[in-house]
Amino acid sequence: PDLAGPARVLGALLVGGAAAAVAAVFSRRRALRAVPATLIVVVALVWGVGGAWVLPGADVRKSARPFAHRMNACAGADADIASYRLWVWRAGYAYYAHRTFEPLADEAALAAFADEPGRRFVLVEREHRDAVEAAIGVPPVVSSRIGSNEGHLFAVPPTACLDRPPAGARATD
């Protein structure tokens, strides 16, 4: 629904561009120059509208950026954040949070991490959320849908985090 407007604009550009190219073919005087020029303009418009309007709209739904910003706002810059069984190629969290995560490979490592002194955080995706919640005994402090998956941040010991973007951040950050 949020992308319906941009999709209509892209569709109109493509249909209009095709109609202009067909009209240029049947125009006898400048057909040789008009067809390539029309196609170049249509491609430039589709790329421009797609890059400026459609991709940012999809980014809100697919990117880990909003979750990473809320995670950083909750944990703070110097907090230790571990990851529990994240997919090995999942780089979006580290990229948008501008930090690395200590990987926890199994329940024993998760329990040892949770028992260490100080405030600790664990990042996990939907597949292992229940296991982390059972091991730690508290619900996540930050949760977000990221594309077809979910990201969850757990705090040990529990801490009050407002699950919203930090002050001054845009909704698409």
Side-chain angles (χ1 to χ4, degrees):
D2 295 332
L3 299 177
R8 286 187 192 104
V9 170
L10 284 176
L13 284 172
L14 290 172
V15 169
V22 168
V25 166
F26 290 109
S27 163
R28 299 200 189 271
R29 288 190 357 199
R30 299 188 182 150
L32 292 177
R33 283 191 233 149
V35 173
T38 301
L39 293 176
I40 289 170
V41 168
V42 168
V43 168
L45 286 172
V46 168
W47 275 82
V49 168
W53 195 7
V54 176
L55 293 179
D59 188 52
V60 172
R61 297 178 183 276
K62 301 287 287 176
S63 176
R65 180 183 304 168
F67 174 77
H69 284 221
R70 289 195 307 271
M71 176 177 61
N72 281 342
C74 178
D78 59 342
D80 292 323
I81 301 179
S83 62
Y84 182 69
R85 294 190 175 176
L86 282 186
W87 182 48
V88 71
W89 296 109
R90 178 68 75 184
Y93 299 115
Y95 178 78
Y96 290 119
H98 304 290
R99 62 169 73 217
T100 58
F101 303 99
E102 175 188 342
L104 304 173
D106 55 26
E107 288 85 7
L110 176 61
F113 182 82
D115 288 338
E116 290 180 17
R119 196 169 73 145
R120 319 279 293 161
F121 294 89
V122 179
L123 169 62
V124 65
E125 289 183 323
R126 178 181 45 219
E127 181 181 355
H128 300 291
R129 178 192 189 273
D130 293 339
V132 172
E133 189 167 352
I136 293 176
V138 296
V141 293
V142 178
S143 294
S144 181
R145 185 169 184 88
I146 303 167
S148 62
N149 205 346
E150 296 171 3
H152 303 280
L153 182 70
F154 288 84
V156 181
T159 185
C161 293
L162 298 175
D163 192 5
R164 64 180 187 204
R170 298 177 314 202
T172 57
D173 283 352

